[in-house]
């Protein structure tokens, strides 16, 4: 939606106003939430951005929507808290600092753990949290006095408390397990931190002979290097091909180790030969099989992706080199039966893209089933709503199939697990504070667990740890559970599901009333923004060019539920023009109102005022409904349409005479009062979306005003609603519009006054007759005449509006010869284009292969051309009547 740009010199200059008003809000302390203040609580915790992060489009949308909610709640008299902060982002931050160190030629290991962590803190103080400063540019009404960091002392204490409580309840355990291991980052990754890509590989068929020398069985594998750690071959117990050989002993090629042929229902008879190799140390399914059959586990790949000493002749090789060497050796020994190309999904580390290695190791886990059940119930029974509701299904599916959560990470930056191992007797104690002595043998040599917790463990506690939990603080009592969580769908499981589980476990209450899932911001063509595509739009750059309000309004206007946003300069520019329109309306209002302007409205008002007030009530309701139902785009659109078209384009034009010095004083004062009141309401209505310009304009109005942020949000007043007046005025505007159309279609010069004849029944003409002055002025008519129903408008341009015919006699208005020529030329041009478009659409090969949006656009163009040509033809016929 792009409107004509208003004159430049009268345009609004956002940057100065933005700085001034953000400072004013901060110094007035209006963002600070005080639990002791009255008002029903309304709280939001910010999805904490990574401390390494900087503002991108996703944040901009997320923050804008939260800011709309907070400002709206505050203006509605709620005791509103928006709690900001950042996440320590374990691996991400550690990588940033490690890269910094490597530029200095130092490794993390050489520095040592304590010095490294000190270095990360130093980095955090100096360079971290850039993003919080950027949020201020967006206007975020956060309570900065309550800013939190997931590694703060208070939050760290909450993490230890939560860990110890879960451990004592038996919901945290330590065990050997197959985990996803990144050989580059040297850490375990949760299932969610592994991204899968389809890769071209091979399926190798390998013969495992019988120990006795028989031909044995053929297994198929995509990872032959792991065979060095095989401890069995398995077949399905129902597979008749192998029934007689189950229990026999095979010889593991290359290692020459005896391994059993076992039966397990896990084996798919259809895959490969129906026989699979079992490597408990390097495959999650094989790990389970190994446990069921009590098979030994042989680890042949180490934490760096190198072959271990248990890999025999291959020890010390890189895992991928080893793959080739193993295949070559098998071929040499005549045990490679066949090699076929194979497409399969390969897991990569989400941080560094290294191929993940499934590995068996000792890790810490959260037992998630008992935590997931109440979290599922809370959404089923409506304690928490997920908006839009389509995401509930995804939430249930994930929660119902949840697996235990591996929470230990082998990195240094993060919350170190509060477990202490006795060096003397091996006992492990889990305590909030380090124990002085072993509870079992009394030794003082207690060593803390080396691993740290998954970042999502601490962010899972965020809604209540930030409010002081486990202490019973006034904040917790007042602001928890929170009202809404606004987030992208990509962290629904990473984060939202975990906050639901932890929140219910530790507080007995689900942490949010509503979880609002918003869409993605894409580029103008609908492509996902990415560095490799080079289509990333920087929010701060957009703000620099168009101002924060124009940018925020664009995001709001495009934030339709379940639909991705296509961001482009054109859109933001269009809404920048809207800001200028609002600004100019403010200058106009400023010229006409002053300290003398009455603030009360007289009971009897003219129709035009009753109309704008009635429409205003409706728009107030629409904006309220839009925000309350998280249909932000509907709220934005109602506001935009009303301000630009009804208020600026129509109302301000209609009331100009009553505002002029020629008007009677009483009328003028009354008109000023209505104008001021409508304009004040508009500014308050727009404030949550476009806070800076509305605050700026608010203070240009007369009187001692206080901050708009602190003012009540408009509520509709049914006493001003008047459907009849709205209908009558809609009709009147349509009549004027029809005259304007005739003027533009027939090229009538703007300076020429037209004569209008309105034809219809006297009853239907009465309202127009009463407001003839408006019709005449806004359609630039010299006079308005009223014609009987039997008047035949030969030679008039006409339009039908409801039951009325609008007739404009053309004699003397235009040069008919020239106009006929112009129309013929237009028709010729239109026909030529129509021929071309129809030709393209008639080409079946084109329509089958071209992108759907291009074909759709052509069809729209074809329909529009048809309509235009119809009109041009009618006008030519009309003009031709005057030709000599
Ligand atoms: Zn990695
Ligand atoms: Zn001990």
């Amino acid at each position: 939606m792009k409107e004509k740009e208003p004159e430049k010199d009268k345009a609004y200059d956002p940057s100065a106003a933005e700085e001034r008003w953000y400072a004013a809000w901060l110094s007035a302390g209006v963002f600070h939430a005080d639990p002791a203040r009255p008002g029903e609580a309304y709280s939001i915790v910010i999805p904490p951005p990574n401390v390494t992060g900087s503002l991108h489009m996703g944040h901009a949308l997320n923050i804008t929507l939260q800011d709309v909610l907070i400002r709206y709640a505050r203006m509605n008299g709620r005791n509103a808290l928006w709690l900001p902060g950042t996440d320590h982002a374990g691996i991400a931050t550690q990588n940033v600092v490690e890269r910094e160190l490597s530029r200095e030629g130092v490794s993390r290991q050489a520095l040592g753990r304590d010095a490294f962590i000190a270095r990360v803190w130093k980095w955090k103080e100096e360079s971290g949290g850039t993003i919080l400063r950027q949020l201020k540019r967006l206007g975020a009404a956060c309570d900065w006095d309550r800013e939190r960091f997931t590694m703060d002392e208070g939050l760290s204490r909450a993490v230890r408390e939560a860990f110890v409580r879960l451990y004592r309840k038996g919901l945290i355990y330590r065990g050997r397990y197959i985990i996803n291991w990144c050989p580059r980052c040297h850490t375990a990754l949760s299932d969610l931190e592994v991204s899968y890509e389809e890769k071209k590989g091979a399926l190798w068929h390998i013969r495992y002979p019988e120990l006795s020398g028989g031909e044995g069985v053929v297994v198929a594998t995509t990872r032959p290097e792991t065979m060095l750690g095989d401890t069995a071959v398995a077949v399905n117990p129902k597979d008749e091909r192998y029934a007689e050989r189950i229990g026999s002993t095979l010889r593991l090629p290359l290692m020459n180790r005896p391994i059993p042929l076992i039966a397990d229902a896990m084996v798919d008879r259809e895959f490969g030969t129906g026989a699979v190799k079992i490597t408990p140390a390097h495959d999650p399914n094989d790990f389970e099989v190994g446990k069921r059959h009590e098979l030994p586990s042989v680890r042949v790949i180490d934490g760096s992706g190198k072959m271990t000493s248990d890999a025999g002749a291959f020890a010390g090789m890189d895992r991928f080199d080893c793959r080739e060497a193993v295949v070559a050796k098998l071929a040499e020994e005549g045990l490679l039966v066949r090699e076929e190309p194979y497409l399969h999904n390969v897991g990569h580390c989400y941080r560094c893209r290294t191929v993940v290695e499934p590995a068996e190791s000792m890790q810490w886990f959260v037992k998630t089933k008992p935590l997931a059940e109440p979290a599922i119930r809370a959404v089923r029974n409506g304690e928490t709503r997920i908006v839009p509701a389509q995401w509930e299904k995804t939430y249930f599916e994930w929660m119902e199939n949840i697996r235990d959560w591996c929470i230990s990470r082998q990195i240094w930056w993060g919350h170190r697990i509060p477990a202490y191992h006795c060096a003397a007797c091996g006992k492990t104690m889990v305590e909030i504070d380090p124990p002085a002595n072993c509870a079992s043998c009394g030794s003082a040599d207690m060593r803390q667990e080396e691993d740290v917790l998954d970042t999502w463990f601490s962010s899972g506690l965020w809604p209540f740890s930030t409010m002081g939990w486990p202490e019973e603080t006034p904040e917790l009592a007042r602001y928890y559970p929170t009202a809404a969580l606004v987030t992208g769908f990509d962290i629904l499981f990473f984060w939202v599901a975990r906050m639901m589980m932890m929140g219910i476990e530790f507080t007995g209450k689900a942490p949010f009333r509503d979880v609002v899932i918003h869409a993605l911001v894409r580029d103008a063509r609908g492509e996902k923004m990415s560095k490799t595509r080079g289509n990333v739009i920087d929010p701060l750059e957009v703000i620099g060019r168009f101002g924060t309000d124009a940018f925020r309004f664009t995001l709001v206007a495009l934030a339709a539920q379940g639909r991705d946003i296509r961001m482009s300069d054109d859109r933001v520019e269009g809404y920048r023009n809207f800001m200028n329109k609002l600004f100019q309306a403010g200058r106009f209002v400023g010229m006409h109102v002053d300290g003398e302007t009455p603030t009360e409205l007289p009971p009897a008002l003219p129709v035009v005022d009753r109309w704008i007030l009635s429409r205003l009530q409706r728009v107030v309701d629409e904006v309220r409904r839009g925000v309350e139902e998280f249909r932000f785009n509907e709220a934005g659109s109602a506001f935009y349409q009303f301000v630009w078209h009804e208020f600026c384009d129509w109302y301000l034009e209609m009331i100009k005479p009553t505002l002029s010095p020629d008007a009677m004083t009483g009328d003028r004062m009354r008109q000023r009062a209505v104008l001021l009141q409508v304009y004040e309401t508009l500014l308050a209505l727009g404030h949550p979306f476009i806070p800076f310009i509305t605050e700026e304009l608010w203070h240009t109005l007369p009187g001692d005003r206080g901050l708009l942020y602190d003012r009540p949000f408009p509520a509709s007043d049914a006493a001003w609603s008047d459907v009849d007046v709205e209908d009558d005025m809609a009709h009147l505007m349509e009549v004027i519009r029809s005259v304007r159309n005739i003027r533009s279609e027939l090229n009538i010069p703007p300076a020429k006054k037209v004569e209008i004849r309105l034809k219809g029944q006297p009853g239907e003409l009465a309202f127009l007759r009463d407001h003839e002055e408006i019709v005449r002025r806004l359609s630039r008519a010299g006079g308005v005449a009223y014609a009987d129903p039997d008047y035949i408008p030969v030679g008039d341009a006409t339009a039908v509006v409801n039951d009325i015919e609008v007739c404009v006699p053309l004699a003397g208005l235009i040069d008919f010869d020239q106009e006929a020529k112009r129309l013929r030329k237009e028709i010729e041009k239109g026909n030529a284009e129509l021929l071309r478009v129809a030709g393209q659409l008639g080409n079946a090969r084109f329509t089958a292969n071209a992108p759907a949006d291009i074909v759709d656009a052509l069809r729209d163009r074809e329909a529009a051309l048809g309509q235009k040509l119809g009109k041009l033809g009618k006008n030519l016929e009309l003009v031709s009547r005057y030709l000599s």
Side-chain angles (χ1 to χ4, degrees), residues 592-600 669 671-674 676-677 702:
H592 292 286
V593 301
D594 55 26
E596 308 290 297
T597 306
T599 51
E600 295 287 311
M669 290 312 265
Q671 193 61 74
R672 291 173 170 192
V674 180
L676 179 59
Q677 193 164 104

Side-chain angles (χ1 to χ4, degrees), residues 38-64:
E40 194 190 334
Y42 185 94
S43 58
I44 293 180
V45 290
I46 207 168
N50 284 355
V51 68
T52 50
S54 63
L55 193 75
H56 59 59
M57 272 294 166
H59 296 123
L61 171 64
N62 180 261
I63 294 301
T64 298

